[in-house]
Amino acid sequence: MTINEKQDQIIEIFEEYSDWMDKYAYIIELGNGLSPIDPKNKVNQNLIEGCQSRVWLDAKYQDGIIHFAGESDAVIVKGIVSLLIDVLSNHTPDEILNADLYFIDKIGLKEHLSPTRANGLLAMVKQMKLYALAFKAQNNP
Amino acid sequence: MTNPLDIKAIRNDFPILSRTVYNRPLIYLDNAATTQKPRCVVEAIENVYYNQNSNIHRGVHYLSQRATEAHEAARATVRDFIHATSSNEIIFTRGTTEAINLLATSYGETFCNENDEIIISTMEHHANIVPWQMLRDRKGIKLKIIPLTETGELDIPAFESLFSEKTKLISVTHVSNVLGTINPIKEIIEKAHARNIPVLIDGAQAVSHLAVDVQQLDVDFYVFSGHKVYGPNGIGVLYGKENWLEMLPPYHGGGEMIAHVSFDKTIFADLPFKFEAGTPDYVGSVALATALNYLQSFGMDNIAAYEKSLLEDATEKMLKIEGMQIFGNAPQKSSVISFLVNNIHPFDMGTLLDKLGIAVRTGHHCAMPLMTALQIDGTARASFAFYNTHDEIDAFIAAIERITKMF
């Protein structure tokens, strides 16, 4: 599935929830279901410090494809991390670099990406793209 | 006793309180961060701009004189609100933060030398920590920190043990923005004065809740922000005893704060203008005075009594929620409740309360050293103002109960 197909699928799921609390209940479910990051990768180097919560992000590059893993101390953030990983994982650096993450706005989570209330998420998207850039450079020196 | 405040009528004075968020009625419980503004304050701002806007103190024309009178009348209102002896003791600043920076610079550079000591406390917010750290880095002074007791009160015996020959200033908050603790500042001031040490009290969290009498307290410096006391943003107050302010050099240089300027020498203006360089916020001052008059029309004691009933009601009901932990259990407490439930992250709690229309603060509340002392990353914080109601508390409790079931 392309990044956009995955985004559209998420938008569709969220459209089924009319109430905010139902949307967040779903995000919490996703957060609780996110596979934990390997403890040896839960290090400061992989930490994105937001204003309100912390996010750890790790990336692996294999056969031209990037796999992300992430975690947060707040469950809602973990849920959103899970969505971002779902959308961006298993893609090539170019696909990730060119991705326009419109789903965040569409499902009504844009406030989590505002610069001062970033909570690490804006920084997280940036970090995911930085990984993509680094792996791309590594691949085409 | 019946409540002498007509809360329904008071709420009508605050248009924002009747709006909805996410199609739910707004319940605003973030008053320690900033208070909402009554209509009269907003109208005062509008009135200045529509009817008397003009730069003050220098104009001979009609508008300038009216604006000057209004600004100085506002200073007198502030003077009376905190019971200062003279308008010369009231310096308008941009807020608490600027007032503390002014003192850290003006007092610090004048009276503090290498190895001198300033005493602050574990419960200070960053505005009463960072300016002193900056002074420390400039002058080589030392900061000594008053520890807290289990209930979140200042440890007074430990405080007394911090005094030394080198102590130059005590700077502590009147009310903790996280714990709600009302500190025994009169006692602190007496103990400091017994050793001839001046005291600065950060009143940012106090002035909207308690009657403050700087003469009765005998405090040397007292600072607060307009926006936390139902006034506008961007204006605040530094109170200082006149003899102290006379001794201190200006902080900012510029227009208004001078008596005479030549390229060889400048003679500074008298108090209070010496500390007010540039065009002052003559709109903010008038609006702040309007807010203070509005508050006083209800009586600070009535406000304090009503807010106490909100605090007690909320505390009692919150403690019935399983897994509830409240940080700050001082017997003398302002209407602030910092809490955590089970292992729910404060960000998650705040986000979900928001979606239910309830505004609380989450995080470290600009008091990171306090969070370190409490060994937590942050809390959710509900802070009540006199326009909040017991019905809102019930809705808040129901919301927490609903949220805790989601995890």
Side-chain angles (χ1 to χ4, degrees), chain B residues 157-169:
Chain B
F159 163 58
E160 288 187 88
S161 72
L162 295 179
F163 283 109
S164 84
E165 296 285 299
K166 295 278 186 190
T167 309
K168 282 291 154 70
L169 183 76

Side-chain angles (χ1 to χ4, degrees), chain A residues 19 52 54 75-76 111, chain B residues 24 345 347-348 355 362 377:
Chain A
D19 187 78
Q52 302 252 6
R54 290 174 294 176
V75 179
I76 289 172
E111 83 241 37
Chain B
R24 294 171 199 269
H345 194 283
F347 172 82
D348 292 332
K355 291 295 178 278
T362 60
D377 291 328

Side-chain angles (χ1 to χ4, degrees), chain B residues 28-195:
Chain B
Y28 185 77
L29 303 181
D30 193 17
N31 296 287
T34 198
T35 50
Q36 300 301 344
K37 316 306 168 196
R39 194 177 268 111
C40 61
V41 167
V42 181
E43 284 172 356
I45 294 168
E46 195 179 81
N47 183 48
V48 173
Y49 280 125
Y50 282 157
N51 292 310
Q52 67 184 32
N53 179 50
S54 181
N55 207 331
I56 61 169
H57 289 147
R58 280 159 288 206
V60 295
H61 57 81
Y62 180 87
L63 284 186
S64 177
Q65 297 199 20
R66 294 295 83 76
T68 304
E69 281 165 15
H71 182 67
E72 292 309 318
R75 197 189 302 277
T77 300
V78 174
R79 174 198 66 206
D80 296 343
F81 185 74
I82 58 170
H83 303 279
T85 45
S86 156
S87 291
N88 286 347
E89 297 179 321
I90 306 300
I91 312 297
F92 284 120
T93 65
R94 285 194 296 134
T96 299
T97 299
E98 188 181 59
I100 296 175
N101 276 282
L102 187 162
L103 284 172
T105 302
S106 189
Y107 180 91
E109 297 288 342
T110 310
F111 292 102
C112 297
N113 296 305
E114 201 174 340
N115 294 324
D116 280 346
E117 295 164 359
I118 286 177
I119 298 176
I120 61 174
S121 88
T122 305
M123 68 167 76
E124 301 311 313
H125 65 150
H126 297 160
N128 199 23
I129 300 172
V130 182
W132 305 114
Q133 286 178 329
M134 290 164 71
L135 177 68
R136 177 183 68 190
D137 296 343
R138 288 197 304 272
K139 300 280 286 190
I141 62 153
K142 288 179 179 144
L143 287 183
K144 288 191 158 177
I145 317 294
I146 309 169
L148 304 185
T149 65
E150 285 283 297
T151 51
E153 294 171 273
L154 295 179
D155 184 335
I156 297 297
F159 163 58
E160 288 187 88
S161 72
L162 295 179
F163 283 109
S164 84
E165 296 285 299
K166 295 278 186 190
T167 309
K168 282 291 154 70
L169 183 76
I170 317 295
S171 186
V172 292
T173 190
H174 194 162
V175 172
S176 162
N177 71 323
V178 175
L179 306 170
T181 311
I182 301 172
N183 288 321
I185 57 168
K186 191 160 169 51
E187 186 186 345
I188 289 167
I189 293 162
E190 278 166 8
K191 288 183 194 303
H193 284 180
R195 297 163 173 88

Side-chain angles (χ1 to χ4, degrees), chain A residues 36-42 46 57-70 85 88-93 96 127-128 131-132 134-136 138:
Chain A
I37 195 166
D38 188 338
K40 74 174 194 293
N41 291 326
K42 209 171 162 182
N46 288 333
L57 182 71
D58 188 42
K60 297 228 173 341
Y61 190 50
Q62 217 174 12
D63 305 328
I65 300 286
I66 301 178
H67 308 272
F68 290 106
I85 289 176
L88 290 181
S89 234
N90 302 318
H91 287 280
T92 65
I96 293 165
Q127 192 58 40
M128 289 171 116
Y131 269 121
F135 287 132
K136 187 183 169 175
Q138 212 176 59

Side-chain angles (χ1 to χ4, degrees), chain B residues 322-356:
Chain B
E322 211 183 302
M324 174 65 66
Q325 196 182 0
I326 290 178
F327 296 87
N329 301 295
Q332 296 297 316
K333 193 174 158 178
S334 166
S335 52
V336 170
I337 304 179
S338 275
F339 67 98
L340 290 173
V341 189
N342 297 324
N343 291 322
I344 301 173
H345 194 283
F347 172 82
D348 292 332
M349 179 61 77
T351 301
L352 295 170
L353 283 171
D354 172 54
K355 291 295 178 278
L356 292 170

Side-chain angles (χ1 to χ4, degrees), chain A residues 48-60:
Chain A
I48 302 167
E49 199 132 19
C51 167
Q52 302 252 6
S53 64
R54 290 174 294 176
V55 174
W56 290 267
L57 182 71
D58 188 42
K60 297 228 173 341

